[in-house]
Amino acid sequence: MSLLEVRDLHVWFELPNGTELHAVQGVSFDLDHGERLGLVGESGCGKTTTILALMGLFPPSVSVAGEVIVNGENILGKGESLIRDYRWKELAMVFQGAMNALNPLMTVGRQIVEPMELHGIASGAAARKRAGELLEMVGIAASGADRYPHEFSGGMRQRASIAMGLACQPKILLADEPTTALDVMVQAQILELLVGLSNELGLALILVTHDLPVVAQVCERAAVMYAGKIIENGTTEDLYHRPRHPYTRLLFATTPDLYDDDDVISIPGVPPRLDRQIVGCPFQPRCDSAFERCSSEQPALKSLDVGHSAACHLNDVPVSVTAKPESSPRNGQALDAVDGSDDGS
Amino acid sequence: MRSADYVIKRLAFALFTIFMAITINFFLFRVIPGSAVTDLARVPNATPQLRHALTVEFGLNDSKLHQYFTYLWQLVHGNMGISYVNQQPVFPQLLNDLKNTIPMVTIGTVAAIIIGVFFGIVSAWRRDSAVDHVSTSLAIAFYSFPPQFLGLVLLILFAGTLPSSGMEYALAGVFGSVGFWSRLQDIGIHMVLPATTLCLTLYGEFTLIMRSSMLETLGEDYVLTARAKGLRNGKIVVRHALRNALLPIVTLVAMSLGWIMGGAIIIEFIFTWPGIGWAMWEAVSQRDYPMLQGGFLILAIAVVGCNFIADLAYFKLDPRVSE
Amino acid sequence: MNVVDSLATSLRADVSAPLLEVEQLKMHYPVARGMTERLARRPQRFVHAVDGVSFSVAPGEMLALVGESGCGKTTTAQAVLRMLKPTAGAVRFEGTDLSTLSQRKMRPLRRRLQMIYQDPYESLDPRFRVRQTIEEPMLIHGIGGSAKDRRQKAIEALERVGLTPAELYLDRYPHGMSGGQRQRVAIAASLVLDPVLLIADEPVSMLDVSVRAGVLSLLDGLRRQRDMGILMITHDLATASHFADRIAVMYLGRIVETGPIKEVIRNPQHPYTKALLSVVPQRDPRKMVKPLILTGEIPSPIDLPTGCRFRTRCPMAEERCGQIDPELRTAVAAKGDDHAVACLLA
Amino acid sequence: MSMLLQEAAVGPLPEVSRRPLRTVLRHHKSGLIGLGIILFFIVIALAAPVLMPYSPTVQSCAVFAPPSAKHWFGCDDGGIDLLSEIMLGGRISLLIGFAATLVSMVIGGGVGILSGYFGRWVDIVLMRITDYLLVIPPLAFALVVADVWGPSVVHVIIVIGILQWAPTARIIRAQVMTVKERVYVKRVRAMGASDTRIIARHVLPQVAPLLVANTVLTVAVAIYLETTLAFLGLEDPSSVTWGTILQHAFDRAAVSAGAWWTIVPDGIAISLLIMGCFLLGRAIEDALNPRLRVGHLSTRRWKLRPLVGLGPDAI
């Protein structure tokens, strides 16, 4: 049995105008002990909502369906009151903007001690001692516990956030764009820290990011999300060398590589709006390999190899059309007009 | 280091403001054409002897600049002149009045803050519920009532049940001395209506500000972090949101002190409370300019002093201030 | 056309002169002292934001200015644009030294010197229609002729940046547009002034990955077609390596290594460049390089380390690095004269 | 503000509307109510000479006659119809309120823009003055000035106008300072636009809605100050305003006579107008500052929805 099983998760946001936005549309995945999973996609694809859903962290105007199974129990099943006991104890989180994620009026130490006392891990002097140890584990002197968040640099705040995440020895750490606002060197420091902690403590990690190369270097497995759905799920190696969905292949081709002179391309158009019904494959209008079936029938996520699944009709066609990224069909120049002319609404 | 800077800065500002108040006071009364002190003909109660005494003491025949420095010099020595009405020095009279004003205003304001903050939190927490709607509507209504209206309504409502004027039962002390506790009780009963009026006119604004400040705080990411940690709503509000949300209230109270004092003037006027507001109104109606001038100055100093205290409180509450 | 303008044009005729020449540029800010510090007679301290930077950009060339935040790259751009007055050094644009020019004399030159900002959600006035945004620069400089001519120019500019058909965009407000489209509008608004130098400050870092390449290729195409110089500020070495001709790596207010981009990336000489390159994540999970992660944080630009300013984080630092402040010179292992490095050990 | 939740929910925040007033009235019911109240009083004040049922100067009923079918709001100590008096009194109260607000908006808006845009010594000088005005007790100051100058409508307008610009200047200054730092302003400056152009085309339109909101809120304060000064006897005693009506009632023993109708309708008129201004002003502010829309905490919980009929093909 996996450590974490997500089964057919749906999230709807109620919009002010009375309609609904179907932000997460039936997401399922598993996570094993000590495994590092990347959740990748463009902004608005539902990746942040998905991991907030794992902890039940919704604003009031949300409805949710599906199961999030931790230790064999569906923690979503009984709503806020049950899920509260799991928070930070089983799953902890590192947020995107570390500045805003820490209370400006509380010392860093107190914020680390707080969940320990709440969940009965440690209290008083023992908890404070452990907070100091955790800070040292992430590379901050224990005396940093007495300081306020605004006295820390961005990188140190993110380290403190990670220390706070480890306070209750969770089995799973969710990291939402943990390095987005940081410099390359600090980003490397934080990623190294996360990988090191995951190896040492056997911590399972879900890394949410739009940065494919980061996932390729940090995670063994990744799920690519598009328009609220996982469209491909597999090892990072499979995703790069044997992509089975055109979006994955194109997404890799949009990021330049230091030592690879391949043309970088842009994907024309914009993702579909999630407050409307989508007919056919949601990626079809932007896809370079779409055919008739794609505009009428929505492809389901199908298992193709061991640990590799994708949602694309091309995989039903005998000859595999999905190729390596070097045969990118259009160069950037030609795409300008297409990207530009799409009006996004 | 930095904190010393902050305190020095605020103190300098307070002193500068008091200096400005003194200066404006001087100009208002002596330099503007037709202004009061130099034009004693407008003053009904100024006897020739008084006129002469003032002329000597404040050098009213000297140049304006000289007068200004004489005025400053006299102020330093606690001399604000002599009342035209009762020929007594102004300063001790005003201090005595201030002594009566402070308890009434403090009780009314503190009660308003406590009630306002409480309903503000409840409103924000139960946002869009019936409780929120009732509390917000009441707050807007009370915010809109001018104190004179509210005071008069209370006067009519409680005519006969609660004393409507003065600070003590008129005959208290006439038939032998009164014990401390019974005197306190007497003053307390007299204070009910004025303090309640002040409290009711103030609490609405505190509620509204607290509500929006709380709502804003509840939208911060650290509240989401607190939720992710597994904290219950009550604890999130008390531990994480409250202190952050209270910061604007400190500023607000400091900023509205001037208004609170203004409200106090009217309330003292309505309920004949023998405080500084009442004294100022009396001075206005009797053209007792030294009294008016002194009253304004003392009010200004009191407000500036309270502002300085609020600055220090803010500094205590927010570790980021000294940055 | 006034004197300065014509002077600039005449100087431009000299083909050998680079478009932009920055020489020993310094930007130092006084650190605000508190009252107590002033009373205690603490010496006035300075932030050495930019501390002796020299580089040049030729027509049609793209120079990437690379470094972490706080290294002074944005301050350098601000000084080149003359939004800040340099403490010392010269900024020669088409031969005119901008660093001593008054804001008034600077104004006509601003036509030829345009900037593209990082955040297209912030850089367009939300109240302006696309047409107004593009016509505004012409109104500022009193060019573009009649309203009809301006409209025609706006249409041409939109088409040049790939927003076709332009009529679809003219009357729209930025809020209905995607990040990529907004950035294109900002570029179009710069192009109507026919600039010869474009400063692009992280032009794609706020955009979705899927449209980044489009905007970058647009800039790349513009400089090739119109012989425009581009100074691109970025922290993304991979992007720089794809689009720029030359690179200048900055650390704590100094350029530590500069040269042709491929040369610097394949054959880095400065330990800082090496470290920066090693932490760029690669797409291929099989190509795991052991990242050379520098520990600690960048020292404060107020109290600079003695000697080489990188030595506090340098894995190779020796004793003499604390004494000698290395000059930028041709690297020993370099494959050409134009590959310079500021390191005693290279 | 929480970036996280914004993004999770509906993508980037909607931009502030270009027609705030229209948006306000469409989305904030309270703003519409506020505008209604203000318009109601303006119409009554303008049409008072036609609408007044009795003369406000000639006795038309018994002294302290209670409200009746003929005299809806009863009569005062001089036997004058109170409804007529209140209608007439609104004219001067509104005139003073709006005129004083105009004075304070011009000063406050100007000071705020200059101070915020140019900074440096302009800012230091202007802000010291502003700070001073913020700290001194306004009513006490008004008392002193009105007394020294003598009672007159124009004096009251000037006093209130001068007292009320400081908060506006502060708010506008803060807003201008953020607008000045906005990238699109920096961008046009780098393009060579002049300060005048930047202020006129980019800064002013951006702060205008806030200035409007502030104006509306200041009207409330001005009306409050006017009625208070009149109540304290610092206005021309012969003029009829909402403040003097209350003052007469208080002076002439209406309270001990139990003549509540001399106080309540007039007081409610003052309160309603202040409330109307407050509602409209606050609605505009809310529309400008949509931060209050998401909260991480609420008693309304997220809902669980059954997955019936939602197969893998569901939308």
Side-chain angles (χ1 to χ4, degrees), chain A residues 312-324:
Chain A
C312 180
H313 292 313
L314 288 171
N315 295 319
D316 300 342
V317 180
V319 186
S320 172
V321 194
T322 49
K324 273 259 309 168

PDB file of all heavy atoms in Angstrom, chain A residues 312-324:
ATOM      1  N   CYS A 312      -3.660  10.548 -24.171  1.00  0.00           N
ATOM      2  CA  CYS A 312      -3.544  11.070 -25.529  1.00  0.00           C
ATOM      3  C   CYS A 312      -4.015  10.009 -26.504  1.00  0.00           C
ATOM      4  O   CYS A 312      -3.652   8.840 -26.387  1.00  0.00           O
ATOM      5  CB  CYS A 312      -2.092  11.446 -25.829  1.00  0.00           C
ATOM      6  SG  CYS A 312      -1.864  12.098 -27.494  1.00  0.00           S
ATOM      7  N   HIS A 313      -4.821  10.433 -27.477  1.00  0.00           N
ATOM      8  CA  HIS A 313      -5.328   9.490 -28.471  1.00  0.00           C
ATOM      9  C   HIS A 313      -4.231   8.924 -29.356  1.00  0.00           C
ATOM     10  O   HIS A 313      -4.395   7.877 -29.962  1.00  0.00           O
ATOM     11  CB  HIS A 313      -6.389  10.169 -29.347  1.00  0.00           C
ATOM     12  CG  HIS A 313      -7.635  10.500 -28.604  1.00  0.00           C
ATOM     13  ND1 HIS A 313      -8.262   9.602 -27.777  1.00  0.00           N
ATOM     14  CD2 HIS A 313      -8.388  11.630 -28.557  1.00  0.00           C
ATOM     15  CE1 HIS A 313      -9.342  10.158 -27.252  1.00  0.00           C
ATOM     16  NE2 HIS A 313      -9.433  11.398 -27.706  1.00  0.00           N
ATOM     17  N   LEU A 314      -3.126   9.664 -29.431  1.00  0.00           N
ATOM     18  CA  LEU A 314      -2.042   9.193 -30.304  1.00  0.00           C
ATOM     19  C   LEU A 314      -1.521   7.833 -29.855  1.00  0.00           C
ATOM     20  O   LEU A 314      -1.013   7.053 -30.663  1.00  0.00           O
ATOM     21  CB  LEU A 314      -0.883  10.195 -30.293  1.00  0.00           C
ATOM     22  CG  LEU A 314      -1.103  11.506 -31.026  1.00  0.00           C
ATOM     23  CD1 LEU A 314       0.036  12.450 -30.739  1.00  0.00           C
ATOM     24  CD2 LEU A 314      -1.233  11.258 -32.529  1.00  0.00           C
ATOM     25  N   ASN A 315      -1.660   7.563 -28.568  1.00  0.00           N
ATOM     26  CA  ASN A 315      -1.137   6.297 -28.055  1.00  0.00           C
ATOM     27  C   ASN A 315      -1.981   5.117 -28.502  1.00  0.00           C
ATOM     28  O   ASN A 315      -1.587   3.968 -28.341  1.00  0.00           O
ATOM     29  CB  ASN A 315      -1.061   6.336 -26.533  1.00  0.00           C
ATOM     30  CG  ASN A 315      -0.065   7.380 -26.082  1.00  0.00           C
ATOM     31  OD1 ASN A 315       1.002   7.513 -26.664  1.00  0.00           O
ATOM     32  ND2 ASN A 315      -0.437   8.154 -25.072  1.00  0.00           N
ATOM     33  N   ASP A 316      -3.181   5.378 -29.050  1.00  0.00           N
ATOM     34  CA  ASP A 316      -4.004   4.297 -29.597  1.00  0.00           C
ATOM     35  C   ASP A 316      -3.667   4.039 -31.057  1.00  0.00           C
ATOM     36  O   ASP A 316      -4.063   3.041 -31.628  1.00  0.00           O
ATOM     37  CB  ASP A 316      -5.496   4.672 -29.494  1.00  0.00           C
ATOM     38  CG  ASP A 316      -5.901   4.895 -28.051  1.00  0.00           C
ATOM     39  OD1 ASP A 316      -5.153   4.425 -27.165  1.00  0.00           O
ATOM     40  OD2 ASP A 316      -6.930   5.552 -27.816  1.00  0.00           O
ATOM     41  N   VAL A 317      -2.954   4.997 -31.662  1.00  0.00           N
ATOM     42  CA  VAL A 317      -2.568   4.837 -33.064  1.00  0.00           C
ATOM     43  C   VAL A 317      -1.338   3.917 -33.105  1.00  0.00           C
ATOM     44  O   VAL A 317      -0.414   4.101 -32.308  1.00  0.00           O
ATOM     45  CB  VAL A 317      -2.220   6.210 -33.677  1.00  0.00           C
ATOM     46  CG1 VAL A 317      -1.828   6.074 -35.130  1.00  0.00           C
ATOM     47  CG2 VAL A 317      -3.404   7.154 -33.526  1.00  0.00           C
ATOM     48  N   PRO A 318      -1.341   2.930 -33.991  1.00  0.00           N
ATOM     49  CA  PRO A 318      -0.257   1.948 -34.001  1.00  0.00           C
ATOM     50  C   PRO A 318       1.145   2.553 -34.073  1.00  0.00           C
ATOM     51  O   PRO A 318       2.016   2.203 -33.286  1.00  0.00           O
ATOM     52  CB  PRO A 318      -0.533   1.116 -35.256  1.00  0.00           C
ATOM     53  CG  PRO A 318      -1.976   1.313 -35.547  1.00  0.00           C
ATOM     54  CD  PRO A 318      -2.388   2.618 -34.968  1.00  0.00           C
ATOM     55  N   VAL A 319       1.355   3.500 -34.981  1.00  0.00           N
ATOM     56  CA  VAL A 319       2.690   4.071 -35.115  1.00  0.00           C
ATOM     57  C   VAL A 319       2.834   5.227 -34.131  1.00  0.00           C
ATOM     58  O   VAL A 319       2.017   6.147 -34.123  1.00  0.00           O
ATOM     59  CB  VAL A 319       2.910   4.601 -36.546  1.00  0.00           C
ATOM     60  CG1 VAL A 319       4.351   5.063 -36.707  1.00  0.00           C
ATOM     61  CG2 VAL A 319       2.559   3.526 -37.553  1.00  0.00           C
ATOM     62  N   SER A 320       3.853   5.170 -33.325  1.00  0.00           N
ATOM     63  CA  SER A 320       4.031   6.226 -32.343  1.00  0.00           C
ATOM     64  C   SER A 320       4.456   7.521 -33.029  1.00  0.00           C
ATOM     65  O   SER A 320       5.430   7.570 -33.762  1.00  0.00           O
ATOM     66  CB  SER A 320       5.082   5.819 -31.315  1.00  0.00           C
ATOM     67  OG  SER A 320       5.356   6.912 -30.494  1.00  0.00           O
ATOM     68  N   VAL A 321       3.708   8.567 -32.798  1.00  0.00           N
ATOM     69  CA  VAL A 321       4.026   9.851 -33.421  1.00  0.00           C
ATOM     70  C   VAL A 321       4.918  10.695 -32.508  1.00  0.00           C
ATOM     71  O   VAL A 321       5.570  11.619 -32.937  1.00  0.00           O
ATOM     72  CB  VAL A 321       2.724  10.625 -33.724  1.00  0.00           C
ATOM     73  CG1 VAL A 321       3.010  11.772 -34.673  1.00  0.00           C
ATOM     74  CG2 VAL A 321       1.695   9.695 -34.324  1.00  0.00           C
ATOM     75  N   THR A 322       4.879  10.336 -31.223  1.00  0.00           N
ATOM     76  CA  THR A 322       5.632  11.161 -30.282  1.00  0.00           C
ATOM     77  C   THR A 322       7.117  10.906 -30.418  1.00  0.00           C
ATOM     78  O   THR A 322       7.585   9.791 -30.291  1.00  0.00           O
ATOM     79  CB  THR A 322       5.188  10.849 -28.848  1.00  0.00           C
ATOM     80  OG1 THR A 322       5.189   9.439 -28.691  1.00  0.00           O
ATOM     81  CG2 THR A 322       3.816  11.385 -28.569  1.00  0.00           C
ATOM     82  N   ALA A 323       7.810  11.949 -30.696  1.00  0.00           N
ATOM     83  CA  ALA A 323       9.230  11.805 -30.973  1.00  0.00           C
ATOM     84  C   ALA A 323      10.051  12.609 -29.987  1.00  0.00           C
ATOM     85  O   ALA A 323       9.522  13.275 -29.105  1.00  0.00           O
ATOM     86  CB  ALA A 323       9.523  12.269 -32.394  1.00  0.00           C
ATOM     87  N   LYS A 324      11.352  12.545 -30.163  1.00  0.00           N
ATOM     88  CA  LYS A 324      12.256  13.339 -29.319  1.00  0.00           C
ATOM     89  C   LYS A 324      12.080  14.817 -29.613  1.00  0.00           C
ATOM     90  O   LYS A 324      11.651  15.208 -30.685  1.00  0.00           O
ATOM     91  CB  LYS A 324      13.716  12.937 -29.627  1.00  0.00           C
ATOM     92  CG  LYS A 324      14.186  11.769 -28.812  1.00  0.00           C
ATOM     93  CD  LYS A 324      15.071  12.182 -27.629  1.00  0.00           C
ATOM     94  CE  LYS A 324      16.200  13.107 -28.027  1.00  0.00           C
ATOM     95  NZ  LYS A 324      16.830  13.692 -26.854  1.00  0.00           N
TER      96      LYS A 324
END
